[in-house]
Amino acid sequence: MRAIAADKGMKPPVRAEAGDSLIKEAWIRFRRNKLAMIGLFMTFSIIFAAIFAGALAPYDPKAQLAFTVDPALKLAAPSVQHPMGNDLYGRDILSRVLYGARISLEIGIFATLVTIMIGVPLGAIAGYMGGIWDDLISWLVNVIFAFPFILFVLAVVSVFRNPSLYLVFVAIGLVNWVALCRITRGQFISLRGSEFVEAARALGLPTWKIIFRHILPNAIAPIIVQATLGMGGIITLEAGLAYLGFGAQPPTPSWGLMISEGQQYIARGQWWWSMFPGIAIMYTVLAFNFLGDGLRDALDVRQKR
Amino acid sequence: MTEGNSERHLVDVLHLKKYYPIKRGILRRTAGYVKAVNDVTFQIRRGETLGLVGESGCGKTTIGRSILRLIVPSAGTVAFDGADVEALQKSDDAALRRRMQIIFQDPYGSLNPRMNVSDIIGEAPLYHRLVSKAELDDYVVSIMEKVGLRPESRAKYPHEFSGGQRQRIGIARVLAMKPEFVVCDEPVSALDVSIQSQVLNLLADLRSEFSLTYLFISHDLSVVKHISDRVAVLYLGKMVEIAPKADFFSQPMHPYSQALISAIPVPDPDATKNRVILEGDVPSPINPPDGCIFSTRCPKAMDRCKAEEPILVDRGGHETACFLYG
């Protein structure tokens, strides 16, 4: 051993050829999947709309044009000036749908973060430690799974008199973590027994390195897929809450709220107030589902090129 | 431990037992035990290669993992160079850890698919400060050259290598720790026959270059014959014979060893051999037979074998647990 150390300094450094990491290979697989690429494009378009809503929206989403500009704009049908029409107060629906993307994405991203922050550590503890920890956490997961989702969120939100958006995504996160927890737990259980983890233990590596360098990177793919697929569910859940009056409050341009406000006018033929935000929700949920499915296929190590 | 023996014995296994409880019913009460390793005692001398053979499920792997304390034994002790390896579990004794390493059977499952070769080989030596961060790359290159890997491919990932190359990565990872003792757990049985001999020769070369001591676990007697100095035969969690290689293959004493050796294929169609064909299956390790554990299948079983359990008796360096020899 010492002998190697002595003579190595003489030689010029050995060049290293670039390796194809699993991420690079996954991207190659992802790119070949049409539906996945459509999902990615759709997702980017929503993110784009959310970020640049201020520049893209032709009008102020809260400006009640029926009172300030022209009374005829009250529930005006789609036109060239207002492609998605106007609502009861003359507000431009296109502008409100664009700003609505902000609310939906905000809720989706933050609720998912809360979900990950609770679900992944608890799943990891249950899976890696096993025993009493596993029993306890699995029991909690089963209890929450058995509870009607929307009721639980409603209960959490209604405890506080003043429903704010922060409360909504914390509430959603508090119930939504269970699915992620189960997946993480399963991954940790199977990886804990794998030979490369045993090898890491034989090498005398500390537990934190085994968890963060050896188990987590191999468990991350299903977690990402589940989180992405969960985004669609969270966005629908937020719309449902807003529809019931527990989510975003008027005059916030929330898609769920707009559907709720416009629903009574659908039967009278003034469908645009509810329909366009409805389409926006569908588009967003589809986008995340396509993306999630594509990621699942791309990240699946068993499926080689 | 066995006092005064640490000079010759690098590894001292004393009355090692590993019982796995079988849980039944909703209350998960223990209904019995799988006696994977049942009171095994043996020593490995410094610098030798002990071949450990036996059928699948006889406890070979459990013994290997217990020596490294990757499995906590139910009873018995393992001493490495005079120190009880139980310390490994309590305090993560890094120095002891480094000195004993393991090469795994499955070249696909034993490498982290998310780490490149450089990280796989270099992570542990860096953590244990065997090398500094600045020297690490040169160190990895030198180790890869030692095991016959192209150092240029050190940024690549395990899935970009063949089975034999992956096994070399596993060997490099072990070598980088500068160990004294290596458990080779069926290191070639997952490889193609053409690759097997390359990896075996590599292991033999490294053994002499770095004066390593091996516990070589295998179910393949011809592989063991190639690399071992002594051979130990395990049957149903018990040691039935330990002997120097030459003695073992020329004069196997235990009827089970005789059957195993007679089953080695001979590359000569005209060779007439008296094959000892064993009747029946290996009994369950949950309920091993009374008396000699081999008595149910032994062609030479006597009444005494069903009643009494033979112990391993040393007859001039050739140990057997069989009543045929008194």
Side-chain angles (χ1 to χ4, degrees), chain A residues 14 17 198 203 214 218, chain B residues 65 123 128 150 152 154:
Chain A
V14 182
E17 290 160 4
E198 205 168 21
L203 292 167
H214 295 264
N218 286 287
Chain B
R65 308 273 155 114
E123 184 188 21
H128 292 297
R150 290 177 58 243
E152 289 83 3
R154 67 191 180 281

Side-chain angles (χ1 to χ4, degrees), chain A residues 187-235:
Chain A
Q187 287 290 314
F188 268 72
I189 287 177
S190 79
L191 290 168
R192 183 185 58 181
S194 69
E195 274 198 342
F196 66 81
V197 168
E198 205 168 21
R201 286 205 290 137
L203 292 167
L205 296 172
T207 306
W208 66 268
K209 257 187 185 268
I210 292 176
I211 289 177
F212 289 101
R213 289 266 285 158
H214 295 264
I215 298 183
L216 201 57
N218 286 287
I220 209 91
I223 293 173
I224 290 173
V225 171
Q226 176 62 31
T228 313
L229 290 174
M231 285 279 267
I234 287 171
I235 286 167

Side-chain angles (χ1 to χ4, degrees), chain A:
Chain A
M1 280 300 180
R2 301 253 154 66
I4 321 171
D7 69 288
K8 88 197 167 196
M10 309 303 184
K11 284 181 277 180
V14 182
R15 186 176 58 90
E17 290 160 4
D20 279 351
S21 74
L22 290 181
I23 291 174
K24 198 168 153 193
E25 297 217 325
W27 170 238
I28 292 169
R29 280 196 293 274
F30 188 89
R31 231 172 24 193
R32 290 207 187 125
N33 183 343
K34 261 192 196 121
L35 218 51
M37 288 306 285
I38 292 172
L40 187 68
F41 173 79
M42 287 167 77
T43 307
F44 274 134
S45 70
I46 299 161
I47 294 171
F48 186 79
I51 293 174
F52 298 106
L56 292 171
Y59 301 92
D60 177 356
K62 290 179 185 171
Q64 304 189 344
L65 304 175
F67 306 122
T68 55
V69 179
D70 181 1
L73 285 174
K74 177 182 170 183
L75 279 172
S79 62
V80 179
Q81 285 82 29
H82 303 280
M84 291 187 187
N86 300 71
D87 67 11
L88 188 63
Y89 312 101
R91 295 177 297 198
D92 180 52
I93 291 177
L94 173 63
S95 304
R96 289 180 67 74
V97 166
L98 286 170
Y99 273 94
R102 263 187 198 179
I103 310 286
S104 282
L105 272 193
E106 219 169 273
I107 299 263
I109 289 166
F110 284 105
T112 301
L113 282 182
V114 174
T115 298
I116 290 172
M117 283 191 306
I118 303 173
V120 173
L122 284 183
I125 290 169
Y128 191 80
M129 314 271 284
I132 184 84
W133 291 99
D134 189 17
D135 292 346
L136 214 68
I137 291 167
S138 297
W139 174 81
L140 188 65
V141 165
N142 287 333
V143 166
I144 294 180
F145 248 121
F147 216 81
F149 252 46
I150 196 112
L151 263 189
F152 190 96
V153 178
L154 282 182
V156 173
V157 173
S158 54
V159 166
F160 301 89
R161 284 289 154 79
N162 197 6
S164 74
L165 280 183
Y166 299 100
L167 196 59
V168 172
F169 57 67
V170 168
I172 292 176
L174 277 179
V175 291
N176 218 25
W177 62 272
V178 287
L180 209 56
C181 179
R182 272 192 174 171
I183 284 173
T184 310
R185 172 181 172 269
Q187 287 290 314
F188 268 72
I189 287 177
S190 79
L191 290 168
R192 183 185 58 181
S194 69
E195 274 198 342
F196 66 81
V197 168
E198 205 168 21
R201 286 205 290 137
L203 292 167
L205 296 172
T207 306
W208 66 268
K209 257 187 185 268
I210 292 176
I211 289 177
F212 289 101
R213 289 266 285 158
H214 295 264
I215 298 183
L216 201 57
N218 286 287
I220 209 91
I223 293 173
I224 290 173
V225 171
Q226 176 62 31
T228 313
L229 290 174
M231 285 279 267
I234 287 171
I235 286 167
T236 348
L237 198 59
E238 186 276 328
L241 284 176
Y243 181 87
L244 294 171
F246 286 94
Q249 299 297 311
T252 315
S254 148
W255 293 339
L257 197 60
M258 289 166 76
I259 294 176
S260 158
E261 289 168 333
Q263 59 168 333
Q264 50 180 312
Y265 300 97
I266 298 176
R268 291 164 47 178
Q270 290 143 333
W271 47 269
W272 47 89
W273 195 355
S274 290
M275 194 66 84
F276 287 112
I279 291 171
I281 290 173
M282 207 176 75
Y283 181 83
T284 310
V285 173
L286 268 182
F288 282 111
N289 282 355
F290 286 160
L291 184 68
D293 275 341
L295 284 175
R296 177 163 52 204
D297 294 342
L299 293 173
D300 191 348
V301 203
R302 283 161 301 182
Q303 286 187 342
K304 283 262 116 148
R305 284 189 270 178

Side-chain angles (χ1 to χ4, degrees), chain B residues 101-121:
Chain B
Q101 287 298 315
I102 178 167
I103 296 167
F104 292 90
Q105 173 178 6
D106 178 11
Y108 291 88
S110 57
L111 303 176
N112 184 344
R114 304 269 164 181
M115 280 166 101
N116 67 26
V117 175
S118 183
D119 286 342
I120 288 173
I121 297 173

